[in-house]
Amino acid sequence: GLHDARYFEECLRREIARARRYDRRLCLLVFDLEEGGGADLATAGERIRAAVRATDVAGHLGEGRFAVILPEAAEADAERLHRRLQFALGGRVDSGGDRGRIHGGLAELRLEEDVAGFRERAEAALERAKPAAAGWLAAAQ
């Protein structure tokens, strides 16, 4: 039930253009579901869709990586979504009974950056979060 990577990229381009045009905020949350959390992708997709706002765009980017575009949102909004996702996905998706690790990276759009730069900052924040404990979230710099 989540958008695929190609459609997600199209939506990201559109939302960046809209945020620039109307001088609005936009956040991107990228996260990995690890340690068995991707065992049931359909269930994970349902729980992600249930956790996001109606205006958000959630996508599965492949290999246990997901992302959510949050229009009209600041970093604090993305942090709240990350906590909702932890609750929705943590320990209930995997089949082994261990809690799934949900690492996240977030970025708030800088009006001068392009799609690639915006996504790279969120991905870099995710990479900084990975060595930390389960449920860690890092913001882009």
Side-chain angles (χ1 to χ4, degrees), residues 8-24:
F8 184 85
E9 288 294 320
E10 290 172 18
C11 289
L12 185 58
R13 282 192 218 7
R14 271 197 322 267
E15 291 299 335
I16 289 173
R18 183 176 294 133
R20 285 183 182 148
R21 185 178 322 123
Y22 298 111
D23 194 26
R24 303 288 192 195

Side-chain angles (χ1 to χ4, degrees), residues 44-68:
E46 290 171 11
R47 292 183 180 155
I48 291 167
R49 283 188 37 202
V52 301
R53 304 172 305 170
T55 57
D56 296 340
V57 179
H60 178 233
L61 305 180
E63 300 178 12
R65 182 155 296 178
F66 301 86
V68 180

Side-chain angles (χ1 to χ4, degrees), residues 82-94:
H82 185 257
R83 285 193 297 274
R84 285 195 311 269
L85 289 167
Q86 284 175 315
F87 178 76
L89 296 169
R92 296 192 304 177
V93 174
D94 60 16

Side-chain angles (χ1 to χ4, degrees), residues 25 27 73-80 106-108 121 137 139-141:
R25 289 186 148 171
C27 276
E75 280 189 16
D77 301 308
E79 290 171 3
R80 280 191 292 278
L106 70 90
E108 188 170 345
R121 284 192 317 112
L137 176 67
Q141 298 175 352

